[in-house]
Amino acid sequence: MNLSERLNEDMKALMKSGDKFALTVVRMIRSAVKNAEIDARRPLSDEEVMDILTREVKQRRDALQEFEKAGREDLADQAKAEVEVIQRYMPQPLTEAELTRIVEETIQEVGASSKADMGKVMSALMPKVKGRADGKQVNAAVQRLLV
């Protein structure tokens, strides 16, 4: 079952279970996927759906920071809950140790030796960790390991 089908099946199950919050979030995700399918004029691959999920999580995390700065805990809590629902459809995030290992391997693959090679490392690394690590987290790990 691909990711789009899983979203459809979960939406049906959520309708039956009465979990209105999760149902609303899944409907938002499905809407974003459907809009992208209309723009592309074809069904999306799982990788493309994963890109949409990653974008949706990033948007909510950015909003979460703004809500916390403004002291709006009610909206911050809602954004956190939405991120948790969306992450059900994403692969497990990398641990710090796993990310460090992948960064070290990539640095060796591209032959990077200084921070001047950061662009090469990041362009080779991001496809490997797509959907499993935040770009800021990856960037920090690369900066820490490139001396």
Side-chain angles (χ1 to χ4, degrees):
M1 177 183 324
N2 69 26
L3 211 42
S4 293
E5 291 169 353
R6 183 173 164 211
L7 285 167
N8 287 333
E9 292 301 316
D10 285 358
M11 187 184 73
K12 291 175 190 174
L14 289 168
M15 283 180 186
K16 291 177 184 175
S17 73
D19 186 351
K20 291 184 180 183
F21 181 78
L23 177 61
T24 302
V25 175
V26 170
R27 281 183 170 155
M28 284 190 287
I29 296 167
R30 283 193 61 236
S31 175
V33 170
K34 196 65 167 167
N35 287 336
E37 286 177 344
I38 290 168
D39 290 345
R41 295 188 174 140
R42 62 176 172 73
L44 299 180
S45 68
D46 276 355
E47 186 175 311
E48 292 167 317
V49 173
M50 191 60 60
D51 290 342
I52 291 170
L53 294 174
T54 303
R55 184 182 68 228
E56 294 291 323
V57 167
K58 184 177 182 332
Q59 286 175 353
R60 281 161 181 79
R61 283 190 176 143
D62 291 346
L64 175 64
Q65 289 176 348
E66 295 301 317
F67 294 147
E68 287 174 344
K69 281 182 192 174
R72 294 291 311 266
E73 289 303 315
D74 56 330
L75 295 175
D77 291 341
Q78 180 178 349
K80 286 178 194 173
E82 287 178 3
V83 167
E84 289 174 11
V85 172
I86 296 169
Q87 285 182 329
R88 293 179 194 168
Y89 301 97
M90 299 178 75
Q92 286 286 41
L94 292 169
T95 64
E96 193 65 35
E98 291 171 326
L99 179 61
T100 301
R101 181 183 49 78
I102 293 171
V103 170
E104 288 170 347
E105 290 171 0
T106 306
I107 288 172
Q108 288 179 354
E109 284 173 18
V110 299
S113 58
S114 69
K115 290 196 183 216
D117 299 322
M118 182 125 175
K120 280 196 301 188
V121 174
M122 289 298 289
S123 63
L125 183 61
M126 287 311 288
K128 295 179 182 180
V129 298
K130 191 176 202 172
R132 298 189 66 204
D134 182 52
K136 292 177 186 175
Q137 182 184 18
V138 174
N139 190 316
V142 172
Q143 285 186 3
R144 188 178 68 244
L145 293 171
L146 279 179
V147 181

